[in-house]
Amino acid sequence: MSSQVALMVLVDIQSSAKISGILRLMFTRLWLWSTPGLEFYKHMGSGENGGFSFRPSGTHQALFCVFKDLTSAEKFYASSKLIQWYKAHANEFFSVKLKTYSIKGQWSGFVPQITVDTPISGPIVSITRASIKPLNCLEFWSKEPAAEISLEKSAGCIIAAGIGEAPFFRQATFTIWESQAAMDQYARQGAHQDAIRASMYGSYFSESMFSRYQPFDAFGSWKGRTLG
């Protein structure tokens, strides 16, 4: 199997550093690609309160990276000026490393490699992302609030964050679940099932990726919950 390792970082930046955070979101891409061992990355914003909202958050951000191996991921995490700045200016900071066990679709043409067998126990991570067709945007978002409410109330959901590359059209959801069974139970629920069914039959997406991961080396807190 591949030795790829992914890294997800969530941060809520202090209000006093809001403008500096927005500038980093805009311009970090100019030098991040030169990171040794980095094969893919997305530096993203979030909806209000780190959730799923038409109103963007000025302080919530996310960074998703895929490295060729664990050594590259750990070197980046230890030396990255962006990570260091996040930690120094965060109300909340959360990071977790990920090994991929299921992939359907792609993200900007990139397909993460399977690196581990499906876990039989313990927590799992889900990342779903989509490029929403402009003509389908309003119809898609009309179904999203109900799915979000059911996600936040779903048993076994440890963390849920709405993130995205661009407002309205390029969106992603990051969740951590107590188990595969807990995530599967949510996936079969009414609001989420309705949204998925509508997306499939309505052909809302020009590109999508549904991915599952085994998390490890979690650190920090998110929305008041300490992990790691």
Side-chain angles (χ1 to χ4, degrees):
M1 284 188 178
S2 167
S3 57
Q4 269 186 355
V5 170
L7 170 70
M8 176 64 83
V9 173
L10 303 175
V11 62
D12 178 17
I13 300 165
Q14 296 167 3
S15 296
S16 60
K18 177 180 175 180
I19 300 302
S20 294
I22 292 173
L23 291 173
R24 280 167 172 77
L25 183 61
M26 293 172 62
F27 297 114
T28 298
R29 68 192 67 187
L30 298 177
W31 65 82
L32 198 59
W33 271 122
S34 63
T35 302
L38 181 65
E39 298 185 336
F40 179 82
Y41 86 93
K42 291 293 180 180
H43 196 188
M44 297 169 283
S46 177
E48 190 176 34
N49 297 319
F52 313 80
S53 172
F54 275 118
R55 183 179 299 175
S57 169
T59 61
H60 291 84
Q61 294 183 16
L63 178 67
F64 177 69
C65 300
V66 180
F67 295 90
K68 68 176 184 179
D69 53 31
L70 180 59
T71 298
S72 299
E74 290 181 335
K75 285 183 178 178
F76 170 78
Y77 189 81
S79 62
S80 166
K81 291 183 179 179
L82 178 63
I83 298 296
Q84 293 171 4
W85 188 89
Y86 273 161
K87 288 182 176 180
H89 297 86
N91 288 319
E92 283 196 302
F93 175 94
F94 173 74
S95 65
V96 63
K97 297 183 181 71
L98 308 167
K99 294 182 179 180
T100 312
Y101 70 85
S102 177
I103 284 287
K104 293 181 180 179
Q106 60 186 11
W107 196 341
S108 297
F110 178 80
V111 182
Q113 298 173 8
I114 300 296
T115 57
V116 69
D117 294 329
T118 301
I120 59 175
S121 63
I124 64 104
V125 163
S126 169
I127 299 176
T128 62
R129 60 80 47 188
S131 295
I132 305 164
K133 295 178 181 177
L135 293 178
N136 298 108
C137 184
L138 290 178
E139 188 175 357
F140 171 83
W141 280 100
S142 71
K143 302 178 185 300
E144 185 61 27
E148 178 189 354
I149 291 171
S150 68
L151 172 59
E152 292 180 340
K153 294 182 178 180
S154 184
C157 183
I158 299 171
I159 280 182
I163 52 181
E165 302 166 68
F168 313 131
F169 299 115
R170 287 185 287 169
Q171 298 293 306
T173 302
F174 172 79
T175 48
I176 301 181
W177 299 86
E178 292 178 353
S179 65
Q180 178 77 43
M183 186 192 71
D184 290 343
Q185 178 63 33
Y186 166 73
R188 290 190 290 266
Q189 289 180 172
H192 183 264
Q193 188 73 283
D194 291 345
I196 291 296
R197 189 179 295 114
S199 298
M200 292 176 61
Y201 290 111
S203 299
Y204 290 169
F205 308 142
S206 59
E207 184 189 58
S208 62
M209 187 180 81
F210 302 87
S211 52
R212 307 290 181 263
Y213 306 85
Q214 185 178 53
F216 67 103
D217 200 14
F219 170 83
S221 65
W222 191 248
K223 292 187 177 181
R225 183 159 191 174
T226 300
L227 296 149

